[in-house]
Amino acid sequence: MTISAELITQVVREVVREVASATPALATPVKEVCDGVFPDMNSAIEAADQAAREYLGHSMKDRAKYVAAIREAATRQENLEYMAKAAVEETGMGNVPDKIAKNRFAALLTPGTEDIVTEALSGDDGLTTIETSPFGVIGAITPTTNPSETIINNSIGMLAAGNAVVFSPHPRAKQLSLWLVRELNAALAAAGAPKNLIVTVSEPSEENTKAMMEHKLIRMLVATGGPGIVRAVMSTGKKAIGAGAGNPPVVVDQTADLKKAAKCIVDGATFDNNLPCTAEKEVIAVGSIADLLRFHMIKEGAYELRERALIDKLQALVMDGKRPKTEWIGKDASVILAGLGIEAPAGTRLIIMETEFEHLFVQSELMMPILPIVRAKDVNEAIDLAYQAEHGFRHTAIIHSLDVNALTRMGRKMQTTIFVKNGPSYAGIGIGGEGYITFTIAGPTGEGLTSARSFCRRRRCVLAGGLNVR
Ligand code: NAD
């Protein structure tokens, strides 16, 4: 039997049509979406693991290029403005100008690959180097108070150290966090980085955070948040960095430059409406200068509540038992005063009041522009009260004094990760003080102000009996 060319063409056409209709994927190729946002935690972690393996083959120059791409994307003016507005809108906390500043500082002052240094030991027995290698995939949990700042800061440090990172953002900062992960993925792709070095899930939740903490491919956990999440990562059995709560006291004694101290305290306590874990949360002032300090603070934009009834009303408004009510955290001072029925004078930045040491405003981490002032009989008593108010977090403390003995005594007693003398609290994170910035201050686990080297494993590489050229 002979088969005509016409019949062959007809059969081929038929077969092609059938195959195409049975497997539509062949007919319309699926466009791969790679923006770092995954529908579930497992696929996010597996993608990051693959990225981390690929990343091992990239050079330090490559890492520096990717860090530069993150810095560039995060400091684009439209992105800075978007992140600040989106954070205030979504979380209901903080203020736009300070959030723009915080994001810019996070992008520019977070150390990159220059933070990774090799140590060398050279002697009669040869040459040994101590190299820093990545952990692999890091699980990072981020707070509502600094949602984008922490993602920018952690991404730079963790990628500079050669890791991939899976973020578990606070559900109340979901939209902004997902947007930022997508934005950073686009910037990294344009710079030629492996896909999925920075990933997250489309529905951040406590369950997803738990799944991440338990996942076998997660080699290190970094929690920035309150005591609950710090405890949780520390009990996983994995390498964990815990950056937890603080309640920073500020001591002012009779030797201080009171005008300057008042300005520093008001500036520090109002930065992003008191959201930073490092911000001044209570003042302990030596009695003889307390009135003058209050006078200068008022000139700097503090509004003083004098009547006990009003202070009680404020407590009922913003506190639920011993905890601050979420809806008042990070609100403007004028909004809080309006809640009391007080119209704040123009320029009001902070609400102050004198209280006893036991008052909840002193003892609780409010994260609002409300700053209680406690009187002490002398600087030694002030330091002792500051120590008690800090509750052993060993996070941040501040003092305004020109007495070297007082400065030394307080530094020794507090044992805080950050101790600022004669400046606003934010000088301690490199804003107007020497040193780099971080948004993950690891007191409980001891890394201090984290940077790229905190996210590395130290490895020893030994050449016995050679290359010592002395
Ligand atoms: P938070 O503890 O409520 O939340 C932090 C993160 O942990 C969020 O992503 C949240 O979803 C998650 N989380 C909390 N409990 C969890 C649980 N049981 N299981 C799973 N996930 C859980 O804190 P916040 O209100 O977002 O942030 C403010 C707190 O963080 C303050 O106490 C502040 O001092 C602290 N903080 C510390 C630092 C630091 O560097 N030390 C920096 C920023 C904020």
Side-chain angles (χ1 to χ4, degrees):
M1 176 188 161
T2 52
I3 302 172
S4 70
E6 202 183 339
L7 183 61
I8 292 174
T9 312
Q10 202 181 336
V11 169
V12 168
R13 277 207 188 113
E14 202 59 42
V15 169
V16 168
R17 200 175 304 129
E18 266 191 45
V19 169
S21 65
T23 52
L26 284 182
T28 37
V30 174
K31 189 165 168 276
E32 195 187 359
V33 181
C34 180
D35 60 4
V37 179
F38 286 80
D40 64 278
M41 191 48 91
N42 194 49
S43 37
I45 293 173
E46 283 180 355
D49 184 59
Q50 204 182 322
R53 286 168 202 277
E54 195 185 329
Y55 198 23
L56 280 176
H58 286 235
S59 66
M60 288 302 280
K61 262 195 196 138
D62 288 340
R63 290 193 204 175
K65 193 165 66 172
Y66 309 149
V67 165
I70 296 175
R71 294 195 205 278
E72 194 281 322
T75 49
R76 242 174 272 149
Q77 192 55 28
E78 70 268 24
N79 285 353
L80 284 172
E81 282 170 22
Y82 173 79
M83 287 188 283
K85 285 183 192 147
V88 173
E89 212 165 279
E90 189 175 11
T91 66
M93 299 173 183
N95 68 69
V96 171
D98 289 346
K99 285 203 183 286
I100 289 179
K102 282 166 69 183
N103 282 301
R104 183 182 278 121
F105 287 131
L108 298 179
L109 299 182
T110 300
T113 49
E114 72 283 3
D115 196 53
I116 308 287
V117 285
T118 299
E119 291 167 40
L121 303 167
S122 168
D124 294 345
D125 288 332
L127 176 73
T128 292
T129 54
I130 294 132
E131 301 273 4
T132 44
S133 292
F135 270 81
V137 186
I138 300 178
I141 299 144
T142 54
T144 41
T145 46
N146 308 317
S148 51
E149 299 88 327
T150 311
I151 291 181
I152 294 167
N153 171 252
N154 284 182
S155 294
I156 292 175
M158 290 169 186
L159 265 61
N163 301 284
V165 51
V166 182
F167 280 109
S168 206
H170 198 293
R172 261 188 288 115
K174 167 184 142 177
Q175 301 299 347
L176 170 60
S177 304
L178 265 55
W179 175 89
L180 181 54
V181 165
R182 290 191 169 110
E183 201 66 19
L184 297 183
N185 270 275
L188 288 172
K195 286 185 285 191
N196 298 318
L197 282 177
I198 300 174
V199 300
T200 189
V201 286
S202 50
E203 285 304 328
S205 64
E206 245 179 59
E207 293 66 45
N208 272 324
T209 304
K210 282 192 184 119
M212 182 178 85
M213 291 193 292
E214 286 163 9
H215 203 289
K216 65 177 189 315
L217 292 176
I218 296 284
R219 299 282 197 155
M220 176 191 239
L221 287 160
V222 178
T224 309
I229 191 63
V230 169
R231 246 194 324 273
V233 295
M234 285 171 78
S235 30
T236 55
K238 293 177 193 272
K239 166 71 184 172
I241 293 183
N247 194 33
V250 47
V251 164
V252 186
D253 79 3
Q254 68 287 355
T255 68
D257 174 343
L258 293 180
K259 198 161 175 258
K260 180 180 168 217
K263 177 164 173 31
C264 290
I265 294 170
V266 176
D267 286 350
T270 55
F271 189 44
D272 206 16
N273 295 351
N274 201 266
L275 287 181
C277 53
T278 46
E280 291 83 350
K281 299 284 191 288
E282 60 276 337
V283 177
I284 321 279
V286 169
S288 58
I289 52 89
D291 292 333
L292 196 50
L293 179 69
R294 274 169 29 207
F295 168 79
H296 285 300
M297 288 174 78
I298 291 164
K299 284 181 95 176
E300 288 296 333
Y303 183 95
E304 188 179 15
L305 295 182
R306 291 208 178 87
E307 290 167 39
R308 186 71 204 200
L310 267 181
I311 299 170
D312 291 348
K313 198 173 160 194
L314 178 62
Q315 182 178 334
L317 180 73
V318 301
M319 302 218 49
D320 184 6
K322 291 185 175 175
R323 298 169 62 90
K325 289 182 190 162
T326 306
E327 66 264 34
W328 291 101
I329 292 178
K331 287 285 184 288
D332 289 348
S334 58
V335 172
I336 299 174
L337 285 170
L340 288 181
I342 296 171
E343 197 184 322
T348 299
R349 300 196 277 158
L350 182 68
I351 306 167
I352 59 171
M353 69 288 298
E354 200 169 320
T355 69
E356 64 284 0
F357 176 70
E358 293 72 25
H359 198 280
L360 277 181
F361 286 173
V362 175
Q363 302 299 328
S364 308
E365 187 196 26
L366 290 187
M367 295 182 283
M368 301 168 199
I370 294 175
L371 193 66
I373 301 172
V374 174
R375 272 175 205 258
K377 70 175 190 305
D378 57 29
V379 71
N380 286 339
E381 187 184 70
I383 293 170
D384 290 346
L385 292 176
Y387 177 74
Q388 290 172 48
E390 217 266 327
H391 304 306
F393 293 134
R394 302 199 292 183
H395 192 297
T396 297
I398 304 111
I399 183 170
H400 293 273
S401 169
L402 297 179
D403 174 353
V404 173
N405 292 331
L407 301 179
T408 309
R409 175 160 189 262
M410 184 159 173
R412 285 204 181 132
K413 173 120 190 169
M414 299 302 297
Q415 290 288 316
T416 44
T417 305
I418 296 177
F419 181 45
V420 178
K421 300 174 286 292
N422 298 322
S425 52
Y426 49 69
I429 52 165
I431 304 175
E434 285 301 320
Y436 62 86
I437 206 166
T438 187
F439 282 87
T440 297
I441 298 152
T445 48
E447 291 77 8
L449 285 89
T450 56
S451 61
R453 68 182 70 181
S454 318
F455 310 120
C456 287
R457 299 163 54 227
R458 285 163 62 81
R459 297 171 55 218
R460 183 182 281 199
C461 186
V462 179
L463 180 79
L467 275 183
N468 161 25
V469 294
R470 266 179 286 194

